[in-house]
């Protein structure tokens, strides 16, 4: 049996790793290919804030799990401590005494192979498959391969592999700037965002795609409008436009769910709701939307809260909460009597616009013969008082 082993930190695994695996499958045709995330690399410290070994293992499953003949192995994780390939090879030889082992390694790893723990044993017991870019032009690589063959009788094959422009190190540096999605397998990227590994922030185009599949077709224009308006309001009032965009994109993600589904989500996320909320699914979608946004997309608290309060508002709102409340109200697809006035006011005096929005909602709800929800009423009272106070003190907005 031919077993190929592809070890590494996979911190995170990316499409370059996946391409390498596909090349190795084609060229080596192993019976099985083991992806072997290390517990702790022997030659370096794992960067602070990296996901745990178990989390990296899971990211590997999400990156390679669908490839036939490929298995993500927890051997090195289970062994704990520093992960020496020598120990792994010994373990595999014990498990499969007749197997022929091939180590798949990167170019740089071949160049320093003589620093590996018990490298002579490894060269004697394993074939080496080095992932080489332009190896015909790479004198140093060919020289090293030739020398290892001569000195140790090593068996070395070079896999012609065009590496991706992106490395794990580079990805760790850009994920928090809302970049990198195109270099990572979708399912793994979704997990990275969900848990915000590496301080990752979602690429907005990726987030839109995800959110829009959760919406009624008719609502997409509203959500896109709300995102754009939130960005503008954020710029006007000194809020972070990207956080505003993220909250705008996600604010209505549970809106299309039925009343029953809303209530199921309340149960799932241990959301407490009173009888008025239980009766009015319109009020629930703000709470369930925030919970789902946090669960699926790992939104930070400030964005969670902005989604949470976007329907009713509340006293003493944060800037982001106000921005989302108003963006939802005045985005370009909204056309109700009075929207123009509210649009103007939102860019002139944020609190007065907020108050006007609250008052209009109360009027609207009452015109349907319903009683506005308590949060809406207390929010309205709070801003009425605040604006009166402001007037008394002649304070500018
Ligand atoms: O989700 P959207 O339609 O984009 O907007 P939204 O989240 O502000 O929801 C608006 C709806 O919610 C609108 O039909 C009025 C309703 N609503 C807002 N505040 C209250 C309310 N309904 C009741 N019963 N009480 C409220 O205080
Ligand atoms: Fe809403
Ligand atoms: Fe909305």
């Amino acid at each position: 049996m031919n077993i190929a082993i592809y070890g590494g930190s996979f911190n995170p695994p990316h499409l370059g790793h996946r391409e390498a695996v596909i090349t190795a499958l084609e060229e080596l045709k192993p019976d099985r290919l083991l992806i072997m995330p290390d517990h702790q690399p022997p030659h370096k410290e794992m960067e602070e804030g990296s996901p745990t070994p178990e989390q990296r293992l899971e990211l590997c499953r999400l990156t390679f799990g669908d490839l036939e003949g490929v298995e993500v192995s927890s051997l090195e994780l289970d062994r704990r401590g520093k992960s020496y390939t020598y120990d792994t090879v010994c373990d595999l030889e014990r498990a499969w005494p007749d197997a022929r082992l091939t180590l798949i390694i990167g170019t740089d790893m071949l160049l320093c192979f003589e620093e590996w723990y018990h490298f002579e044993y490894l060269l004697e017991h394993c074939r080496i498959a080095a992932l080489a870019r332009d190896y015909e032009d790479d004198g140093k690589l060919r020289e090293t391969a030739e020398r290892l063959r001569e000195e140790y009788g090593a068996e070395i094959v070079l896999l012609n592999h065009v590496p991706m422009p992106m490395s794990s190190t580079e990805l760790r540096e850009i994920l928090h700037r809302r970049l990198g999605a195109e270099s990572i397998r979708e399912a793994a990227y979704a997990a990275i965002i969900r848990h915000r590994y590496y301080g990752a922030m979602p690429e907005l185009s990726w987030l839109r795609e995800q959110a829009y599949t959760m919406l009624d077709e008719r609502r997409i224009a509203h959500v896109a409008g709300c995102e754009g308006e939130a960005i503008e309001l954020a710029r006007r009032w000194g809020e972070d436009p990207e956080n505003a965009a993220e909250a705008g994109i996600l604010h209505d993600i549970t809106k299309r769910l039925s009343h029953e589904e809303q209530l199921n989500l309340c149960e799932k996320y241990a959301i407490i709701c009173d009888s008025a909320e239980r009766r009015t699914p319109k009020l629930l979608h703000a709470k369930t939307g925030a919970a789902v946004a946090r669960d699926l997309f790992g939104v930070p608290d400030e964005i969670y809260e902005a989604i949470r309060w976007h329907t009713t508002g509340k006293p003493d709102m944060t800037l982001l909460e106000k921005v989302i409340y108003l963006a939802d109200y005045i985005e370009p697809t909204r056309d109700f009597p009075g929207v123009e006035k509210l649009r103007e006011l939102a860019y002139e005096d944020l609190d007065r616009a907020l108050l006007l929005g609250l008052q209009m909602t109360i009027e609207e709800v009452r015109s349907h013969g319903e009683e506005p929800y308590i949060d809406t009423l207390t929010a309205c009272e709070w801003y009425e008082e605040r604006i009166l106070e402001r007037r008394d003190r002649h304070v500018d907005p």
Side-chain angles (χ1 to χ4, degrees):
M1 181 164 58
N2 276 307
I3 301 181
I5 304 145
Y6 187 27
S9 291
F10 301 108
N11 189 32
H14 53 68
L15 291 177
H17 295 130
R18 194 175 149 94
E19 283 305 310
V21 166
I22 291 169
T23 303
L25 288 171
E26 280 168 3
E27 297 196 19
L28 303 173
K29 300 195 174 24
D31 297 299
R32 55 210 305 178
L33 191 155
L34 303 181
I35 305 287
M36 192 70 69
D38 56 31
H39 181 258
Q40 194 188 329
H43 56 289
K44 58 181 180 198
E45 287 297 314
M46 194 65 75
E47 206 166 288
E48 219 177 297
S50 292
T52 66
E54 288 72 21
Q55 290 165 341
R56 283 185 288 113
L57 182 82
E58 180 56 20
L59 292 179
C60 285
R61 293 217 167 100
L62 296 170
T63 302
F64 306 107
D66 65 311
L67 296 171
E68 201 163 333
V70 175
E71 212 176 295
V72 177
S73 169
S74 65
L75 182 68
E76 295 191 349
L77 264 62
D78 298 338
R79 211 170 53 225
R80 315 199 78 78
K82 287 205 171 191
S83 303
Y84 293 104
T85 303
Y86 168 75
D87 294 328
T88 300
V89 166
C90 291
D91 285 345
L92 293 175
E93 285 178 325
R94 265 193 295 278
W96 290 289
D98 301 323
R100 179 174 189 235
L101 302 180
T102 302
L103 297 177
I104 301 166
I105 64 173
T107 307
D108 334 345
M109 289 292 133
L110 188 72
L111 297 180
C112 68
F113 201 80
E114 284 150 296
E115 293 164 24
W116 285 34
Y117 185 55
H118 285 324
F119 76 96
E120 284 167 295
Y121 182 94
L122 295 177
L123 291 178
E124 209 174 293
H125 288 243
C126 308
R127 175 169 67 154
I128 305 292
L131 296 159
R133 140 185 44 180
D134 300 332
Y135 60 87
E136 276 156 36
D137 300 331
D138 191 337
K140 203 157 165 220
L141 183 65
R142 266 189 332 186
E143 244 170 61
T144 307
E146 202 42 54
R147 193 166 52 71
L148 293 173
R149 285 184 189 114
E150 273 171 24
E151 282 185 35
Y152 309 101
E155 189 185 347
I156 298 174
V157 292
L158 297 168
L159 299 180
N160 202 1
H161 167 65
V162 182
M164 304 277 294
M166 198 59 70
S167 69
S168 292
T169 309
E170 286 168 299
L171 278 170
R172 290 198 300 277
E173 282 161 9
I174 64 166
L175 278 165
H176 71 95
R177 288 192 275 131
R178 300 189 188 274
L179 297 170
E182 71 292 340
S183 302
I184 299 176
R185 189 141 197 268
E186 151 74 21
Y189 184 72
I192 288 171
I193 293 304
R194 181 176 190 183
H195 302 289
R196 302 284 168 135
Y197 298 146
Y198 313 104
M201 306 268 264
E203 267 190 27
L204 295 177
S205 56
W206 176 85
L207 196 65
R208 265 179 227 119
E209 251 175 63
Q210 304 292 309
Y212 291 1
T213 62
M214 302 168 79
L215 300 173
D216 263 344
E217 197 104 18
R218 286 171 296 135
R219 187 156 289 273
I220 294 177
H222 159 65
V223 168
C226 180
E227 177 194 353
E229 196 73 47
I231 291 171
E232 288 308 311
L233 283 170
R235 290 209 177 105
R236 169 67 182 88
W237 297 109
E239 179 52 79
D240 176 44
E242 294 190 343
N243 279 350
E246 193 173 327
I249 292 167
L250 296 175
H251 83 282
D252 273 340
I253 44 173
T254 57
K255 182 83 177 186
R256 85 158 170 214
L257 301 182
S258 68
H259 196 175
E260 193 188 344
E261 289 170 310
Q262 299 285 354
L263 290 171
N264 288 342
L265 284 179
C266 289
E267 192 138 320
K268 174 171 179 187
Y269 293 110
I271 295 168
I272 297 167
C273 35
D274 61 25
S275 55
E277 287 175 307
R278 292 193 162 274
R279 266 183 275 117
T280 320
K282 274 177 189 165
L283 294 173
L284 280 182
H285 84 281
K287 281 183 166 180
T288 55
V292 170
R294 181 148 70 192
D295 183 18
L296 294 189
F297 304 112
V299 297
D301 289 350
E302 48 185 326
I303 292 176
Y304 173 92
E305 296 293 335
I307 300 170
R308 161 69 188 88
W309 296 106
H310 87 267
T311 301
T312 60
K314 64 163 186 163
D316 202 11
M317 291 163 81
T318 65
L319 184 51
L320 188 61
E321 287 161 4
K322 294 177 196 177
V323 161
I324 296 304
Y325 182 91
L326 280 170
D328 187 31
Y329 225 123
I330 63 170
E331 57 85 13
T333 74
R334 297 283 200 209
D335 64 340
F336 48 85
V339 69
E340 282 307 330
K341 164 102 180 97
L342 194 57
R343 275 191 189 122
E344 264 173 47
L345 200 53
Y347 287 84
E348 274 167 25
D349 186 330
L350 197 59
D351 282 359
R352 276 181 55 217
L354 193 61
L355 177 59
L356 181 58
L358 290 161
Q359 288 167 336
M360 286 166 82
T361 298
I362 289 171
E363 219 171 284
E364 152 88 12
V365 171
R366 286 197 172 132
S367 77
H368 294 290
E370 291 168 50
E371 184 49 19
Y373 187 59
I374 181 80
D375 288 339
T376 309
L377 294 171
T378 48
C380 190
E381 277 165 32
W382 198 88
Y383 280 96
E384 264 165 7
E385 261 173 49
R386 200 195 124 102
I387 282 160
L388 283 178
E389 236 175 59
R390 219 172 66 184
R391 221 170 269 158
D392 291 347
R393 282 199 252 117
H394 305 285
V395 184
D396 285 333

